[in-house]
Short mmCIF file of all heavy atoms in Angstrom, two decimals:
data_model
loop_
_atom_site.label_atom_id
_atom_site.label_comp_id
_atom_site.label_asym_id
_atom_site.label_seq_id
_atom_site.Cartn_x
_atom_site.Cartn_y
_atom_site.Cartn_z
N ALA E 204 42.61 -21.63 25.21
CA ALA E 204 41.72 -22.75 24.87
C ALA E 204 42.46 -24.08 24.99
O ALA E 204 41.91 -25.06 25.49
CB ALA E 204 41.16 -22.58 23.45
N ARG E 205 43.72 -24.11 24.56
CA ARG E 205 44.51 -25.34 24.70
C ARG E 205 44.76 -25.69 26.16
O ARG E 205 44.71 -26.85 26.54
CB ARG E 205 45.83 -25.21 23.96
CG ARG E 205 45.66 -25.33 22.47
CD ARG E 205 46.97 -25.68 21.79
NE ARG E 205 46.71 -25.91 20.38
CZ ARG E 205 47.24 -25.20 19.40
NH1 ARG E 205 48.07 -24.23 19.67
NH2 ARG E 205 46.94 -25.47 18.15
N ASP E 206 45.04 -24.67 26.97
CA ASP E 206 45.24 -24.91 28.41
C ASP E 206 43.97 -25.47 29.04
O ASP E 206 44.02 -26.40 29.83
CB ASP E 206 45.65 -23.62 29.12
CG ASP E 206 47.06 -23.15 28.75
OD1 ASP E 206 47.81 -23.95 28.14
OD2 ASP E 206 47.39 -21.99 29.05
N THR E 207 42.84 -24.90 28.68
CA THR E 207 41.56 -25.37 29.20
C THR E 207 41.27 -26.79 28.72
O THR E 207 40.80 -27.63 29.49
CB THR E 207 40.42 -24.43 28.78
OG1 THR E 207 40.73 -23.10 29.21
CG2 THR E 207 39.09 -24.86 29.36
N LEU E 208 41.59 -27.07 27.48
CA LEU E 208 41.39 -28.41 26.94
C LEU E 208 42.25 -29.42 27.70
O LEU E 208 41.79 -30.52 28.02
CB LEU E 208 41.73 -28.43 25.44
CG LEU E 208 41.38 -29.67 24.65
CD1 LEU E 208 39.88 -29.94 24.72
CD2 LEU E 208 41.81 -29.50 23.20
N GLY E 209 43.48 -29.04 28.01
CA GLY E 209 44.35 -29.91 28.81
C GLY E 209 43.79 -30.14 30.20
O GLY E 209 43.84 -31.26 30.73
N ALA E 210 43.23 -29.11 30.80
CA ALA E 210 42.63 -29.24 32.13
C ALA E 210 41.40 -30.14 32.08
O ALA E 210 41.17 -30.94 33.00
CB ALA E 210 42.26 -27.87 32.68
N ILE E 211 40.62 -30.02 31.02
CA ILE E 211 39.44 -30.87 30.87
C ILE E 211 39.86 -32.33 30.75
O ILE E 211 39.28 -33.21 31.37
CB ILE E 211 38.59 -30.43 29.66
CG1 ILE E 211 37.85 -29.13 29.98
CG2 ILE E 211 37.60 -31.50 29.25
CD1 ILE E 211 37.13 -28.53 28.79
N ALA E 212 40.89 -32.57 29.96
CA ALA E 212 41.38 -33.94 29.78
C ALA E 212 41.93 -34.51 31.09
O ALA E 212 41.71 -35.67 31.41
CB ALA E 212 42.44 -33.99 28.69
N ALA E 213 42.65 -33.69 31.84
CA ALA E 213 43.26 -34.14 33.09
C ALA E 213 42.22 -34.37 34.18
O ALA E 213 42.38 -35.27 35.02
CB ALA E 213 44.29 -33.13 33.56
N ASN E 214 41.17 -33.58 34.18
CA ASN E 214 40.18 -33.66 35.25
C ASN E 214 38.93 -34.44 34.85
O ASN E 214 37.94 -34.41 35.59
CB ASN E 214 39.78 -32.25 35.71
CG ASN E 214 40.96 -31.51 36.30
OD1 ASN E 214 41.84 -32.12 36.90
ND2 ASN E 214 40.98 -30.21 36.14
N GLY E 215 38.96 -35.07 33.71
CA GLY E 215 37.81 -35.87 33.29
C GLY E 215 36.59 -35.04 32.96
O GLY E 215 35.48 -35.40 33.35
N GLY E 216 36.77 -33.96 32.21
CA GLY E 216 35.64 -33.13 31.81
C GLY E 216 34.77 -33.82 30.79
O GLY E 216 35.05 -34.92 30.33
N THR E 217 33.71 -33.16 30.44
CA THR E 217 32.75 -33.75 29.50
C THR E 217 33.28 -33.72 28.07
O THR E 217 34.00 -32.78 27.69
CB THR E 217 31.40 -32.99 29.54
OG1 THR E 217 31.63 -31.66 29.08
CG2 THR E 217 30.82 -32.98 30.94
N PRO E 218 32.93 -34.73 27.29
CA PRO E 218 33.36 -34.73 25.89
C PRO E 218 32.77 -33.56 25.09
O PRO E 218 33.41 -33.08 24.15
CB PRO E 218 32.83 -36.06 25.35
CG PRO E 218 32.47 -36.88 26.53
CD PRO E 218 32.24 -35.94 27.67
N GLU E 219 31.59 -33.09 25.49
CA GLU E 219 30.98 -31.96 24.79
C GLU E 219 31.82 -30.70 24.95
O GLU E 219 32.00 -29.94 24.00
CB GLU E 219 29.56 -31.70 25.29
CG GLU E 219 28.57 -32.81 25.00
CD GLU E 219 28.64 -33.96 26.02
OE1 GLU E 219 29.13 -33.75 27.16
OE2 GLU E 219 28.22 -35.06 25.66
N ALA E 220 32.32 -30.47 26.17
CA ALA E 220 33.15 -29.30 26.42
C ALA E 220 34.45 -29.38 25.64
O ALA E 220 34.92 -28.39 25.07
CB ALA E 220 33.44 -29.16 27.91
N ALA E 221 35.04 -30.57 25.60
CA ALA E 221 36.28 -30.76 24.84
C ALA E 221 36.03 -30.53 23.35
O ALA E 221 36.84 -29.88 22.68
CB ALA E 221 36.83 -32.16 25.08
N GLN E 222 34.92 -31.02 22.85
CA GLN E 222 34.58 -30.84 21.44
C GLN E 222 34.36 -29.37 21.11
O GLN E 222 34.81 -28.88 20.07
CB GLN E 222 33.33 -31.65 21.07
CG GLN E 222 32.91 -31.53 19.63
CD GLN E 222 33.96 -32.04 18.66
OE1 GLN E 222 34.63 -33.02 18.92
NE2 GLN E 222 34.13 -31.34 17.55
N ARG E 223 33.70 -28.65 22.02
CA ARG E 223 33.46 -27.22 21.82
C ARG E 223 34.78 -26.46 21.74
O ARG E 223 35.00 -25.62 20.88
CB ARG E 223 32.59 -26.67 22.94
CG ARG E 223 32.26 -25.19 22.80
CD ARG E 223 31.45 -24.67 23.97
NE ARG E 223 32.04 -24.92 25.26
CZ ARG E 223 33.04 -24.22 25.80
NH1 ARG E 223 33.59 -23.23 25.12
NH2 ARG E 223 33.50 -24.51 27.00
N LEU E 224 35.72 -26.80 22.65
CA LEU E 224 37.02 -26.14 22.65
C LEU E 224 37.82 -26.47 21.40
O LEU E 224 38.51 -25.61 20.84
CB LEU E 224 37.82 -26.52 23.90
CG LEU E 224 37.38 -25.79 25.17
CD1 LEU E 224 38.04 -26.40 26.39
CD2 LEU E 224 37.71 -24.32 25.07
N GLU E 225 37.75 -27.70 20.94
CA GLU E 225 38.46 -28.08 19.72
C GLU E 225 37.90 -27.31 18.52
O GLU E 225 38.66 -26.89 17.64
CB GLU E 225 38.36 -29.58 19.49
CG GLU E 225 39.21 -30.37 20.47
CD GLU E 225 38.96 -31.87 20.42
OE1 GLU E 225 38.11 -32.33 19.62
OE2 GLU E 225 39.62 -32.58 21.19
N THR E 226 36.59 -27.09 18.50
CA THR E 226 35.97 -26.30 17.43
C THR E 226 36.46 -24.86 17.50
O THR E 226 36.77 -24.25 16.47
CB THR E 226 34.44 -26.35 17.56
OG1 THR E 226 34.02 -27.70 17.51
CG2 THR E 226 33.76 -25.54 16.47
N GLU E 227 36.54 -24.30 18.71
CA GLU E 227 37.02 -22.94 18.88
C GLU E 227 38.47 -22.81 18.43
O GLU E 227 38.83 -21.84 17.75
CB GLU E 227 36.88 -22.50 20.34
CG GLU E 227 35.46 -22.25 20.77
CD GLU E 227 35.36 -21.82 22.23
OE1 GLU E 227 36.41 -21.64 22.89
OE2 GLU E 227 34.22 -21.67 22.70
N ILE E 228 39.30 -23.77 18.82
CA ILE E 228 40.72 -23.73 18.44
C ILE E 228 40.86 -23.78 16.92
O ILE E 228 41.63 -23.01 16.33
CB ILE E 228 41.50 -24.88 19.11
CG1 ILE E 228 41.59 -24.63 20.63
CG2 ILE E 228 42.88 -25.03 18.51
CD1 ILE E 228 42.11 -25.81 21.42
N ALA E 229 40.09 -24.66 16.28
CA ALA E 229 40.14 -24.76 14.81
C ALA E 229 39.71 -23.44 14.17
O ALA E 229 40.32 -22.99 13.17
CB ALA E 229 39.27 -25.90 14.33
N ALA E 230 38.69 -22.81 14.72
CA ALA E 230 38.20 -21.55 14.17
C ALA E 230 39.26 -20.46 14.32
O ALA E 230 39.48 -19.65 13.40
CB ALA E 230 36.91 -21.12 14.86
N LEU E 231 39.94 -20.42 15.46
CA LEU E 231 40.94 -19.40 15.71
C LEU E 231 42.22 -19.62 14.90
O LEU E 231 42.85 -18.67 14.44
CB LEU E 231 41.28 -19.34 17.20
CG LEU E 231 40.15 -18.85 18.11
CD1 LEU E 231 40.50 -19.09 19.57
CD2 LEU E 231 39.85 -17.39 17.85
N GLU E 232 42.60 -20.88 14.74
CA GLU E 232 43.85 -21.18 14.02
C GLU E 232 43.76 -20.81 12.55
O GLU E 232 44.79 -20.68 11.89
CB GLU E 232 44.23 -22.64 14.20
CG GLU E 232 44.81 -22.92 15.56
CD GLU E 232 45.23 -24.36 15.75
OE1 GLU E 232 44.71 -25.24 15.06
OE2 GLU E 232 46.09 -24.59 16.62
N ALA E 233 42.57 -20.60 12.05
CA ALA E 233 42.42 -20.16 10.66
C ALA E 233 43.02 -18.77 10.45
O ALA E 233 43.33 -18.39 9.31
CB ALA E 233 40.94 -20.16 10.27
#
């Protein structure tokens, strides 16, 4: 998920996709 988030940031992905991944990362890190 972090790798994908980095790719989204580098390639100008949508903020919604980045937000979804951040939510997933937070859920998993618990």
Side-chain angles (χ1 to χ4, degrees):
R205 284 200 175 118
D206 291 347
T207 304
L208 190 59
I211 286 173
N214 297 328
T217 64
E219 294 83 21
Q222 180 62 38
R223 181 183 53 79
L224 283 170
E225 288 171 0
T226 302
E227 288 180 4
I228 291 169
L231 293 169
E232 284 181 336

